[in-house]
Structures are given as C-alpha cells and as structure tokens.
Amino acid sequence: MALPDWTVYLPVLCFASVCGGFYICRVFKCARISAWKNSPIAKLMARTEKPLFWIAYSLYTRTKLGYIFHKRQMRKARERYPAGHSRTQPTIINDIKIIPVPILSDNYSYVVIDTASNMAVVVDPADPQPVQACLEEEGVALQAVLCTHKHWDHSGGNRALKRRYRSCRVYGNVMDNIPGLTHPLSDKDTIDFGTRLRFRAFYTPGHTVGHVIYLLDGRAIGGPSSLFSGDLVFLSGCGRMFEGNASTMLSSLDTVGSLNDDTLLWPGHEYAEDNLLFAAEVEPCNVVRKQKLLWVLQQRSQRLCTCPSTLAEEKQYNPFLRSHSQDLHRALGLQQKQDEDWTSYKEGHL
Ligand SMILES: [Zn+2]
C-alpha cells in the first residue's frame, strides 16, 4: 500500500491551521538551521509526527474517507493508464491459467482459471472493472475472491464483484476487517475449487495485523506452486510494517523462506526496479542481483510485467529473504559476537 499524500498532509494542515500561525512567526525569526531544529515548532512536530501519521492511517483504513480516496485513485489510474500500467502475459501451467491484471498505478490483481472446468478465482481485485473485463473475455464464472489484506488498493473491488457474481465467496482474515468477507480464514486453512485449484492460506502479519498469503498447490496440477504474496513480499523487497514489529515481520518472511525454491512469486505491486536499486545499496557486489536488475530495466523500458520470479531467485537477491545469509551480514559489515547465536531466532520460528 502506498499511503496517500492526503493522509499525511491533511492532519498536518489541520494541525498547522490551529497552532501554526503563532509558531510560523517564530520560525521566520530563526536565522540558521540549528535555530530551526531547536525551535518549539520543530520539537513539537518531531513529537507529533507519529501520532499524526497514525491518525491519517486510521482515517484511510477505518473510515469511508479511505474508500472515497481509493475511488479517486481508480479514476485517475484509468485515465492515465487506459490499458493498464504494465503489459502482462498469462502463464499456463498444465491447464491452470494465471493472468496478472494491472490495476491502479502499480498494483496487480491475479485471475486464476482452471481451463478444464472454467472455474476462476481472483486475488486482490482492488479495481473491479478490469478484473470483470478479464473474466468476461475468458468466459469464466468467478467462484471466489482471495483477499490478502484490508488496504483499499487490494480489497477495494470485493463488494462490487460480489454484487456482480452472486455466489462469489470472499476469503480473508477476520482480524483485517476485509470488505465483503464471507469466509474467514485461519493459518494453514486449505480452500478447494474442484480438484485442481487448491490454495493454502498462511497467516503472515506485519504489514497489517491480519495479512494472509495464498499458495496455489503445485502438486494438484503437476507443476510448481504459485505464491500470491500481497504486500508481504515483492520482487527483491517486502512490505512496510504498518501493523507489526520487526520480529513479527521476520517470522512472516520466514514462512515464505520455508516454501519450495521453485515456487512462483506473484506480488501485489510492480516495485521491481526500485527494490533492486535498494538491494544494490545493501549488497553492491551481488552478481545475481545485478543480472536481475539488467533484465528488469529491459522489461520496464517496454512497460512489461516483471512477475513471476521464483523463490530460488528471491533467496539470492531479496535482502528481506536473506536476513540469515552470511553474505548479507558480511556486506553490511555485521560482526557476530561470541555470545550471539543468529540462527536461534529463525529456528524458533520455523
Ligand atoms: Zn497494503
């Protein structure tokens, strides 16, 4: 989720309108930066920055304002990218078709179809219009929405699709207040659609308190599994910790790290280029990361989608799946002290 500008600016503006006038006069009297840093408003802003952010975040996630903002973002994105922000290709694995649907400015929904039975499910249909167009073009009936988390840029189309497809079920974690939720999930629940579409839900808090990822079981289709990771893991990156601490997030990332290397990764956003540039800061000498960045730059120069990658690839360049790697520790200059055991945390969480 990219937190909208207004969630930061609106409370700041409200705050400034109440007490800004008095302090602004004082600020302009500060001739030097050091004076500004010591000014009462700077100290007050530093103290209130976090509370203001959380007020804005609560407005976005818990009130109608968030949905109104989301609808505005949908309209703007449809105008700016009438054919979607990226060009995508379906991936077909033994009659199972996975279609990335580019929505908003950098999100992906995923339509997953069993072409033998014409059953379809969709992951995170934040904008119902392009998702419905995809379903109609494929001539399939929507069985269910698999929702990773509550942020509107993942859940904003749940209710509209449920209205359009009356028998459509909406899955997600009850702790996340998913719009239109009909089937609450617990950790490691399985969801079957016929005999070939078998998903397993993993509870992965950190980005939100009820974040869930979905693994399409490759054994049922005789191919690799597919992981729909929402905002937990991206190509070479991970989601922001809005509702969890580092320990919770690391535990959720370890869940991904424990999956098979040939698993295909289908993330919620097209963040590959920025994430690989960040990874370059962390591990400048990582050869696999360099090669992947060259490929991603080539793809993005033609606005081509960069997913899926595999977890085998991610484990070689994604810093957030390499927190236990000695290569990463060396690159960061971390020294393990004699009384520290860096493997104990991981073993305790797998
Ligand atoms: Zn999010």
Side-chain angles (χ1 to χ4, degrees), residues 1 149 151 154 207 231:
M1 165 207 157
H149 65 293
H151 291 155
H154 293 258
H207 179 69
D231 280 359

Side-chain angles (χ1 to χ4, degrees), residues 148-168:
T148 60
H149 65 293
K150 66 189 166 198
H151 291 155
W152 292 109
D153 63 331
H154 293 258
S155 65
N158 291 3
R159 288 198 177 103
L161 286 172
K162 197 164 169 295
R163 278 196 299 273
R164 172 70 180 78
Y165 301 92
R166 291 286 174 184
S167 60
C168 173

Side-chain angles (χ1 to χ4, degrees), residues 308-325:
S309 55
T310 65
L311 289 187
E313 287 181 284
E314 294 300 318
K315 288 171 188 175
Q316 292 180 81
Y317 54 66
N318 187 331
F320 301 97
L321 293 178
R322 292 169 57 73
S323 57
H324 309 291
S325 154

